């Protein structure tokens, strides 16, 4: 039996897949370099629309990073990429402070 799923409203090709040793979850990486996990402990009784892939880690850029800068006084890094986004990362807390998408690709970022 084959199933297809949408992640973030789009279909993406799976590049690699791995089943946990307890066989209760599946982790996969997609063509857009994102990693997701799906609990499969009760997948036989769930409808496909009830099954949801959860991000395995913070959402990365969908493609190359074109610029990066660090803040001198705070634990922040800012990046921009060809996915038309700018992301501010807190490297001590390992979180994303802000994500902003633009209609055109930003070419350079700087923190002061």
């Amino acid at each position: 039996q084959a199933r297809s799923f949408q992640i973030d409203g789009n279909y993406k090709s799976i590049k690699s897949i791995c089943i946990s040793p307890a066989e209760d979850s599946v982790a996969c990486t997609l063509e857009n370099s994102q990693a997701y996990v799906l609990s499969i402990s009760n997948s036989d009784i769930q409808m496909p629309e009830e099954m949801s892939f959860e991000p395995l880690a913070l959402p990365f850029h969908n493609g190359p990073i074109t610029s990066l800068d660090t803040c001198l006084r705070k634990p922040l890094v800012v990046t921009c990429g060809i996915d038309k986004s700018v992301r501010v990362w807190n490297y001590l807390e390992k979180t994303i402070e802000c994500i902003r998408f633009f209609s055109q690709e930003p070419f350079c970022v700087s923190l002061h």
Side-chain angles (χ1 to χ4, degrees), residues 60-64 80-87 101-102 105-106:
F60 303 114
H61 285 279
N62 295 326
C80 68
I82 64 167
D83 61 354
K84 301 178 183 175
S85 73
V86 172
R87 298 164 194 248
F101 288 90
F102 297 91
E105 179 184 334

Side-chain angles (χ1 to χ4, degrees), residues 52-95:
S52 70
F53 283 85
E54 299 297 325
L56 186 60
L58 298 174
F60 303 114
H61 285 279
N62 295 326
I65 293 172
T66 55
S67 182
L68 176 140
D69 195 21
T70 58
C71 185
L72 290 174
R73 300 182 192 269
K74 294 182 181 180
L76 300 176
V77 173
V78 63
T79 59
C80 68
I82 64 167
D83 61 354
K84 301 178 183 175
S85 73
V86 172
R87 298 164 194 248
V88 179
W89 312 79
N90 183 318
Y91 59 82
L92 287 183
E93 296 179 13
K94 299 180 181 173
T95 58

Side-chain angles (χ1 to χ4, degrees), residues 5 8-9 20 24 28-29 34 38 43 46 48-49 56 60 69-71 74 77 79-81 94 100 103 110 112:
F5 300 94
D8 297 332
S20 68
D24 60 350
C28 63
T29 58
Q34 304 300 307
L38 171 69
S43 64
Q46 286 183 325
E49 58 272 4
L56 186 60
F60 303 114
D69 195 21
T70 58
C71 185
K74 294 182 181 180
V77 173
T79 59
C80 68
K94 299 180 181 173
R100 175 86 191 262
S103 59
S110 180
H112 298 280

